[in-house]
Amino acid sequence: MKIKALILMMICSLLLLAGCGSSSTAGNQKGQIVIGVSLQSFSDKFTTYIMQGMKEASSKNKNVKIIYVDAQNDSAKQLSQVETFIEQGVNAIVVKPVDTESMDPMLEQAKDAKIPLIGVNALFKGVKKAASFVGSDSKEAGILEMEAVAKLLNGKGNIAIMDGGLGHEAQINRTAGYKEVIAKYPDMKIVSEATAEWDRSKAMNLMENWLSSGRKIDAVVANNDEMAIGAQNTIKAAGKQGQIVVAGVDATPDALDYIKSGALNVTVFQDAKGQGGMAIETAIKAAKGEKVEKLNWIPYQVVTKDNVDQFVQKWK
């Protein structure tokens, strides 16, 4: 009798364990996918377009919840945000880095917690440690922008470079692209280079300083459209519109309006919404345990007055 009782107890225990297991699996299947997103700065216009793409992608997935946080251009704050996501037990993390050299602590902590981390937009040091990266090759943007400007200048002239935030991946590599192209043209030279920190108003002030110096400038190449627009606004106010070629990167809606009017000469389309959307789609796949590509490149395209209308449609 004792043996029968023991066997009966063992059978009951096994049944309970099996019941618990099936209940947990069903819960996972029905559970909501939560993705934590830390973005460099909500005040950065291009970042708002990335977020727009993220929201459009997540709206197609009813079982997905996105938590957006603003790192406010503070790498310490961004690290703290990622740590909070890990403590909350999110299913995946997406980061548009503040500092592309300081991602290691986030990558290591996410890896230890077995939470996939997806980088977006800015290529960072240690990217191979991330589950995936979605973005565009910043050096390619610089090369395309500068080649278009060189063509407009017939391969000769004085170039002023407006850098974004110094040390940012896009600033480093876009400017490297400019210099690589300029080196091919013996009659082109850099006469000024300074940062306007991605900002339109700061670019206006910087352009004013350059013009007041009396130095001859044939073209301004800016790391982004906001700075290009700022430079152009100052050039126009000084009565020099049409005398200086102005170029930027991103092909934002504002920049496309300036291209259509002839105020800007060149921009390079960077698909912000495409990057944001793919980052969320990749995060959802990674959260489900599906295989994802390590590097996802979205190509750039040169925009001029001749083809601007096709890019206007991309923002609608």
Side-chain angles (χ1 to χ4, degrees):
M1 289 294 291
K2 287 183 179 179
I3 293 172
K4 285 183 179 180
L6 283 169
I7 292 170
L8 187 62
M9 286 174 67
M10 287 174 67
I11 291 169
C12 288
S13 297
L14 288 168
L15 286 170
L16 282 168
L17 285 169
C20 288
S22 62
S23 173
S24 176
T25 303
N28 288 339
Q29 288 172 350
K30 294 176 182 177
Q32 190 177 50
I33 292 173
V34 180
I35 300 170
V37 177
S38 173
L39 296 171
Q40 173 196 339
S41 171
F42 285 4
S43 63
D44 175 68
K45 199 154 193 176
F46 187 77
T47 301
T48 65
Y49 296 128
I50 289 177
M51 192 189 298
Q52 187 179 340
M54 290 177 167
K55 289 178 178 178
E56 288 176 9
S58 63
S59 68
K60 299 171 187 175
N61 296 272
K62 294 179 181 178
N63 213 30
V64 174
K65 177 184 178 183
I66 314 290
I67 303 169
Y68 296 97
V69 292
D70 182 357
Q72 299 177 340
N73 283 312
D74 184 332
S75 56
K77 181 185 285 288
Q78 189 161 62
L79 174 59
S80 176
Q81 289 169 345
V82 170
E83 289 172 342
T84 299
F85 286 149
I86 292 169
E87 289 169 8
Q88 291 171 339
V90 298
N91 303 105
I93 297 169
V94 178
V95 175
K96 181 181 185 296
V98 170
D99 184 349
T100 55
E101 296 292 311
S102 304
M103 285 289 291
D104 257 359
M106 300 179 215
L107 292 164
E108 292 295 338
Q109 290 186 48
K111 184 179 178 182
D112 290 344
K114 297 182 179 178
I115 298 172
L117 187 149
I118 291 84
V120 64
N121 182 249
L123 190 65
F124 49 86
K125 185 178 178 182
V127 68
K128 291 181 180 178
K129 297 178 185 177
S132 184
F133 172 78
V134 178
S136 302
D137 184 346
S138 293
K139 190 174 182 181
E140 180 194 358
I143 289 170
L144 290 172
E145 181 185 359
M146 196 64 236
E147 285 286 14
V149 169
K151 186 177 178 181
L152 290 170
L153 294 176
N154 295 315
K156 56 187 177 182
N158 292 342
I159 311 300
I161 296 174
M162 274 198 184
D163 288 314
L166 298 179
H168 287 203
E169 182 271 340
Q171 177 271 317
I172 293 167
N173 290 311
R174 288 176 191 172
T175 299
Y178 302 157
K179 293 179 178 179
E180 185 175 300
V181 173
I182 291 167
K184 297 177 185 177
Y185 294 89
D187 294 326
M188 289 175 64
K189 64 179 180 179
I190 299 166
V191 294
S192 296
E193 181 179 357
T195 180
E197 298 177 353
W198 311 113
D199 185 82
R200 188 182 299 197
S201 62
K202 289 179 181 178
M204 291 176 69
N205 292 334
L206 177 58
M207 192 71 226
E208 189 175 346
N209 292 338
W210 283 347
L211 290 177
S212 64
S213 74
R215 191 176 297 122
K216 186 178 187 298
I217 294 173
D218 297 300
V220 175
V221 287
N223 283 172
N224 77 339
D225 284 336
E226 283 297 290
M227 294 188 295
I229 289 169
Q232 175 53 36
N233 288 345
T234 295
I235 290 167
K236 183 179 179 180
K240 293 180 178 291
Q241 185 164 323
Q243 299 175 35
I244 300 172
V245 170
V246 184
V249 178
D250 290 334
T252 61
D254 281 356
L256 295 178
D257 287 340
Y258 273 69
I259 292 279
K260 285 191 77 159
S261 71
L264 282 186
N265 301 93
V266 176
T267 186
V268 180
F269 178 67
Q270 181 179 194
D271 192 351
K273 288 169 69 177
Q275 288 182 15
M278 185 178 282
I280 291 301
E281 289 165 4
T282 302
I284 292 169
K285 287 181 181 178
K288 291 178 178 178
E290 297 176 16
K291 186 177 179 181
V292 296
E293 291 290 331
K294 272 283 184 183
L295 297 173
N296 301 275
W297 296 110
I298 298 176
Y300 288 98
Q301 295 171 270
V302 175
V303 185
T304 64
K305 200 170 184 178
D306 293 336
N307 65 353
V308 65
D309 288 335
Q310 74 184 68
F311 292 95
V312 170
Q313 297 303 314
K314 292 179 184 290
W315 294 107
K316 292 182 178 178

